[in-house]
């Protein structure tokens, strides 16, 4: 939710910030803005719409310091006035902000009494005004400190002072990372914003305040302890190409094509660490998974997997976790799964679990993210940069790592690695097959005008049906509902009319026969049956063949045609698959 980028240095800050915003657009894309200093003047530019569409960089003057923001609206409608940066009455203090200032109303009232005039509907605007108020009797640094201490809520904030050209940033619950370049310093919500300039980073912790004085000088202080901190510089291993579309028209298709590599990287884990975590899982009498959205579906697949061998395993959407916490004790291992590591509900669930004394293992993609810092154990899913708002390769990475952990508890991690690498090669063959792709495109054309789709699966593929429905809803704006096959006759079947498209996920195993019976029942009520499995069946009107694999591994292959289907339906309907409406890649606010 919202992306922040700031730069101070010897290169042109205006173009660095504009380009950085383009890399951050997946975090919010309803409006954007930048302020840069040139000849002691502050130049402010704010626009509604996507920054990717902005062509006017060459009309902006160069600068050595700039801050920018791409917005996902929370307080106040989408408008130029509400977009960031926001500024003080004298236009000397500029602020970009990600998160929510919970006590903004009382601060606003206090400032209005002191003759501050507000122009936007946002919570953010109180920040520059409060700094301005403190600035009357304090230095820029002290004014920011005093202001940050008064803000309630979760946020990342970057402030630019027109007088000194200095930048100050802080975080509490929302991400903010510092980049250390040879020619300047960066602050951003996420590393890809400046990865083309530097891979040296400092991950700021909650309560840290960084003061960028010039191109190479900065100070980091903790707001509570007031101590100056000397923080470790990390090196990011993601390649810049991963954060670029390259030869692909969209990140979505690029990231789908990267799935085979993502699976290989997910199973490439440090053996010692893996066996330590496998021991931990073995010793824990209970496992409980938490996550949101797609990551939640990977968790649900994990619940089926571990339950199948008698391990007591629970799952809840992270936002619902507090309802189940009373049933869990210190012996439970909580497993949190998240691509971004910044999803607010997952973070809150982990914090609550830790307060109760549970140990937490997190499976995360983004290095240095909040979840990696607050968990007791962390395994990286190693998917690489994922920019498309729809999670694709990260889902496969999450599933693969969970499956690898499953193998590991039987001391079979090597076999797990081998089996998963084989699947990665099979998926690669599918993705390279022209026939397979043209079949999916044909189905996409057929489904693009449909209003409803139903998805049926059982057992290990019940989570696949949920993920199928989510991908088609969010990427194609088609109402899609998922059901466990056994639920069909308990109500759902009433929705089936002549021609209603129904996707059936099939895999070898105990439930194959029952799922086929469901297909038959749907077909006899007029449904158009789209079967995904390894053998064409007589009731299928449309069949998509995926490799035959063991039942518990089938979620990995069955989801592949769906990811492509969602992509191609989006194209058919003229939807930008990378940035569907109303969404943002990481949900960092409640
Ligand atoms: C769907 C999607 C979301 C995320 C969810 C959790 O395609 O991307 O449902 O899976 O917001 O995000 P992370 O994994 O970053 O915690």
């Amino acid at each position: 939710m919202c992306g922040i980028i700031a730069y101070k240095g010897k290169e042109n800050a205006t173009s660095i910030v504009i380009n950085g915003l383009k890399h951050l657009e997946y975090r919010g894309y309803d409006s954007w803005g930048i302020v840069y200093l040139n000849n002691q003047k502050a130049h402010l530019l704010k626009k509604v719409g996507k920054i990717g569409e902005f062509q006017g960089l060459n009309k902006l003057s160069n600068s050595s310091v700039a801050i920018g923001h791409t917005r996902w609206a929370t307080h106040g409608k989408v408008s130029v006035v509400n977009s960031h940066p926001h500024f003080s009455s004298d236009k000397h203090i500029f602020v970009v902000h990600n998160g929510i200032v919970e006590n903004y109303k009382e601060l606003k009232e206090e400032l209005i009494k002191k003759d501050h005039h507000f122009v936007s509907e946002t919570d953010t605007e109180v920040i520059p005004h409060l700094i301005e108020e403190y600035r009357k009797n304090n230095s820029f640094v002290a004014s920011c400190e005093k202001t940050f201490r008064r803000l309630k809520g979760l946020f990342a904030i970057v402030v630019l002072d027109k007088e000194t050209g200095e930048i100050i940033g802080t975080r509490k619950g929302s991400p903010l990372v510092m980049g250390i370049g040879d020619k300047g310093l960066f602050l951003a919500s996420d590393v890809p914003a400046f990865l083309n300039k530097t891979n040296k980073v400092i991950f700021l912790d909650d309560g840290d305040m960084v003061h960028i004085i010039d191109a190479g000088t900065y100070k980091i202080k903790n707001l509570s302890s007031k101590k100056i901190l000397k923080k470790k510089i990390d090196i990011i291993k993601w390649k810049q190409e991963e954060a670029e579309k390259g030869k692909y028209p969209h990140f979505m298709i690029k990231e789908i094509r990267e799935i085979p590599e993502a699976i290989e990287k997910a199973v490439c884990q440090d053996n010692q660490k893996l066996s330590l975590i496998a021991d931990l899982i073995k010793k824990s009498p209970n496992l409980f998974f938490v996550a949101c959205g797609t990551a939640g579906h990977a968790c649900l697949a994990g619940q089926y997997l571990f339950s199948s061998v008698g391990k007591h395993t629970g799952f809840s959407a992270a936002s619902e976790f507090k309802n189940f916490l009373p049933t869990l004790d210190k012996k439970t291992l909580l497993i949190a799964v998240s691509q971004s590591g910044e999803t607010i509900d997952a973070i809150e669930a982990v914090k609550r679990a830790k307060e109760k004394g549970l140990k937490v293992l997190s499976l995360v993609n983004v290095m240095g993210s909040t979840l990696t810092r607050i968990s007791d154990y962390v395994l990286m899913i190693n998917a690489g940069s994922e920019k498309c708002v729809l999670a694709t390769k990260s889902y496969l990475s999450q599933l693969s790592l969970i499956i690898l952990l499953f193998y590991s508890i039987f001391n079979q991690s090597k076999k797990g690695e081998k089996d998963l690498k084989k699947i990665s090669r099979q998926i690669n063959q599918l993705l390279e097959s022209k026939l397979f792709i043209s079949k999916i495109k044909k189905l996409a054309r057929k489904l693009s005008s449909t209003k409803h789709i139903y998805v049926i699966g059982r057992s290990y593929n019940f989570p696949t049906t949920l993920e199928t429905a989510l991908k088609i809803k969010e990427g194609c704006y088609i109402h899609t509902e998922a059901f466990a096959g056994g639920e069909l006759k308990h109500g759902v079947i009433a929705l089936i009319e002549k021609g209603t498209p129904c996707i059936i996920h099939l895999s070898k195993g105990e439930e194959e026969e029952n799922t086929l019976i469901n297909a038959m029942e749907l077909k006899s009520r007029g449904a158009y049956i789209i079967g995904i499995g390894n053998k064409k069946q007589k009731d299928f009107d449309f069949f998509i063949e995926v490799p035959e694999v063991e039942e518990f591994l089938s979620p990995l292959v069955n989801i592949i045609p769906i990811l492509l289907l969602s992509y191609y339906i989006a194209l058919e309907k003229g939807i930008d698959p990378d940035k569907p409406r109303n969404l943002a890649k990481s949900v960092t606010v409640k």
Side-chain angles (χ1 to χ4, degrees):
M1 310 259 120
C2 300
I4 291 175
I5 162 106
Y7 173 78
K8 185 168 174 73
K10 295 176 185 149
E11 293 186 82
N12 179 10
T14 315
S15 71
I16 285 179
V17 166
I18 293 276
N19 286 325
L21 285 179
K22 289 184 180 173
H23 282 288
L24 288 174
E25 200 174 30
Y26 66 92
R27 300 181 68 87
Y29 33 86
D30 52 42
S31 53
W32 60 274
I34 174 174
V35 62
Y36 56 92
L37 302 185
N38 174 280
N39 280 335
Q40 265 97 46
K41 278 204 190 117
H43 300 261
L44 182 66
L45 175 72
K46 307 210 252 186
K47 296 239 180 239
V48 165
K50 296 175 182 169
I51 185 148
E53 288 152 12
F54 178 64
Q55 299 294 339
L57 178 60
N58 55 3
K59 297 202 187 87
L60 308 182
S61 26
N62 290 359
S63 65
S64 59
V65 58
I67 65 174
H69 186 269
T70 178
R71 181 169 186 245
W72 189 90
T74 52
H75 286 76
K77 62 182 177 291
V78 177
S79 67
V80 169
V81 172
N82 286 338
S83 59
H84 300 213
H86 290 281
F87 41 82
S88 55
S89 312
D90 60 6
K91 292 207 173 161
H92 282 202
I93 303 289
F94 293 85
V95 168
V96 289
H97 160 227
N98 170 22
I100 291 175
V101 179
E102 283 167 7
N103 57 336
Y104 83 101
K105 282 193 185 135
E106 57 189 77
L107 293 172
K108 198 166 174 174
E109 274 168 29
E110 174 188 319
L111 288 159
I112 287 171
K113 281 185 197 142
K114 291 180 179 160
D115 287 336
H116 286 259
H117 173 63
F118 288 83
V119 292
S120 79
E121 301 158 314
T122 64
D123 52 340
T124 308
E125 204 184 353
V126 297
I127 307 171
H129 283 269
L130 197 53
I131 297 174
E132 178 180 38
E133 192 56 36
Y134 283 123
R135 191 81 163 96
K136 290 176 184 164
N137 303 307
N138 295 279
S139 66
F140 173 52
V141 178
S143 311
C144 287
E145 273 187 58
K146 285 179 189 293
T147 299
F148 297 155
R149 288 210 176 89
R150 292 201 57 198
L151 304 179
K152 295 198 177 125
L154 300 175
F155 42 74
I157 296 167
V158 170
V159 188
L160 170 66
D161 179 27
K162 189 189 138 199
E163 295 312 303
T164 58
E166 291 172 359
I167 294 174
I168 287 184
T170 192
R171 63 160 282 174
K172 184 178 153 216
S174 295
L176 193 64
V177 55
M178 182 169 179
I180 319 271
D182 295 337
K183 295 183 180 158
L185 299 169
F186 304 78
L187 281 175
S189 305
D190 202 355
V191 175
F194 54 71
L195 196 55
N196 60 340
K197 295 289 176 186
T198 182
N199 63 353
K200 289 189 201 143
V201 304
I202 292 178
F203 291 110
L204 298 171
D205 285 302
D206 280 354
D208 286 353
M209 182 177 103
V210 50
H211 177 197
I212 297 182
I213 300 154
D214 62 38
T217 320
Y218 63 91
K219 275 188 194 149
I220 303 176
K221 177 178 186 176
N222 186 276
L223 285 172
S224 312
S225 67
K226 301 190 179 170
K227 279 192 188 141
I228 299 289
L229 307 170
K230 194 151 175 43
K231 301 198 74 130
K232 179 171 149 258
I233 297 179
D234 282 303
I235 305 293
I236 296 291
K237 294 197 188 112
W238 287 1
K239 294 184 227 117
Q240 175 58 21
E241 306 90 85
E242 287 180 16
E244 309 275 0
K245 276 191 278 209
K247 61 180 183 188
Y248 295 95
H250 298 100
F251 280 109
M252 184 167 179
I253 189 68
K254 173 176 182 270
E255 289 160 9
I256 293 173
R257 289 298 283 110
E258 285 169 351
I259 285 172
E261 193 188 340
I263 295 177
E264 301 241 350
K265 286 191 190 159
V267 298
C268 179
Q269 297 288 338
D270 178 81
N271 287 335
Q272 233 179 332
K273 198 166 172 191
L274 195 63
S275 63
L276 181 131
I277 288 174
D279 273 351
L280 187 73
I281 294 177
K282 277 192 254 178
K283 284 185 194 134
S284 309
N286 306 314
L287 304 179
F288 199 96
F289 281 95
V290 279
C292 303
T294 292
H297 299 151
C299 290
L300 187 60
Q303 186 189 21
Y304 273 83
L305 206 54
F306 285 97
S307 301
S308 72
V309 290
K311 189 97 195 159
H312 196 271
T313 310
F315 161 69
S316 95
S319 56
E320 294 294 318
F321 176 66
K322 62 176 178 301
N323 301 296
F324 301 98
L325 189 55
T327 68
L328 307 177
D329 62 14
K330 283 184 183 170
K331 290 186 199 139
T332 307
L333 176 68
L334 187 85
I335 306 181
V337 181
S338 173
Q339 188 283 127
S340 62
E342 298 293 350
T343 300
I344 188 79
D345 288 327
I347 291 170
E348 262 194 31
V350 166
K351 285 186 178 162
R352 282 176 195 271
K354 291 202 69 174
E355 270 163 29
K356 205 176 164 185
L358 276 75
K359 289 278 178 243
V360 178
L361 161 67
S362 284
L363 312 182
V364 184
N365 192 34
V366 177
M367 185 183 163
S369 58
T370 304
L371 272 186
T372 65
R373 289 146 174 275
I374 60 175
S375 305
D376 301 290
Y377 309 91
V378 178
L379 285 177
M380 301 307 291
I381 64 165
N382 300 330
S385 165
E386 187 178 67
K387 287 286 197 67
C388 175
V389 165
L390 276 67
T392 56
K393 63 174 176 171
S394 67
Y395 179 60
L396 275 292
S397 306
Q398 290 159 351
L399 278 178
S400 303
L401 184 51
I402 291 170
I403 294 171
L404 184 69
L405 285 172
F406 177 70
Y407 276 94
S408 308
I409 61 170
F410 301 104
N411 302 322
Q412 293 203 340
S413 56
K414 284 290 152 221
K415 175 165 173 21
E417 202 181 317
K418 196 167 146 242
D419 290 354
L420 287 157
K421 282 187 174 166
K422 184 173 170 207
I423 290 187
S424 143
R425 290 192 294 276
Q426 289 171 307
I427 292 176
N428 196 40
Q429 273 172 10
L430 269 190
L431 294 172
E432 283 185 349
S433 158
K434 289 204 171 81
L435 195 68
F436 181 72
I437 303 289
S438 73
K439 216 167 187 194
I440 306 263
K441 284 185 179 168
K442 190 172 161 200
L443 184 61
R445 280 193 294 276
K446 180 164 176 59
L447 295 183
S448 61
S449 56
T450 197
K451 294 251 179 317
H452 311 279
I453 300 177
Y454 298 98
V455 195
I456 313 291
R458 285 173 179 254
S459 185
Y460 295 107
N461 272 313
F462 174 57
T464 316
T465 65
L466 296 174
E467 182 56 11
T468 299
L470 181 59
K471 285 288 102 87
I472 300 179
K473 276 186 252 193
E474 61 179 347
C476 319
Y477 311 159
I478 297 174
H479 166 238
T480 312
E481 270 190 77
F483 299 101
E487 285 296 292
L488 198 60
K489 291 195 278 295
H490 298 284
V492 187
I493 204 154
L495 294 166
I496 307 303
E497 295 173 351
K498 189 168 174 352
T500 308
C502 292
I503 298 175
I504 313 288
H505 281 289
L506 267 180
S507 55
K508 285 256 162 272
E510 236 181 275
E511 293 291 356
E512 189 181 10
E513 198 48 42
N514 284 333
T515 318
L516 279 173
I517 293 172
N518 288 145
M520 219 164 63
E521 290 162 346
L522 291 164
K523 173 98 177 173
S524 54
R525 274 139 192 103
Y528 180 81
I529 306 290
I530 300 150
I532 299 180
N534 37 64
K535 200 162 134 222
K536 186 165 171 36
Q537 307 286 343
K538 69 174 175 28
D539 288 317
F540 293 169
D541 296 295
F542 198 99
F543 174 56
I544 303 173
E545 187 176 352
V546 291
E548 183 178 333
V549 296
E550 280 197 64
E551 192 184 9
F552 74 96
L553 297 171
S554 62
L556 290 162
V557 293
N558 278 54
I559 198 66
I560 299 297
I562 298 299
L563 302 178
L564 289 164
L565 185 64
S566 166
Y567 176 69
Y568 287 115
I569 296 179
L571 295 194
E572 282 291 324
K573 295 181 76 165
I575 296 168
D576 178 349
D578 289 342
K579 302 182 194 89
R581 67 187 176 208
N582 305 338
L583 295 170
K585 181 91 181 142
S586 50
V587 181
T588 56
V589 290
K590 280 254 162 216

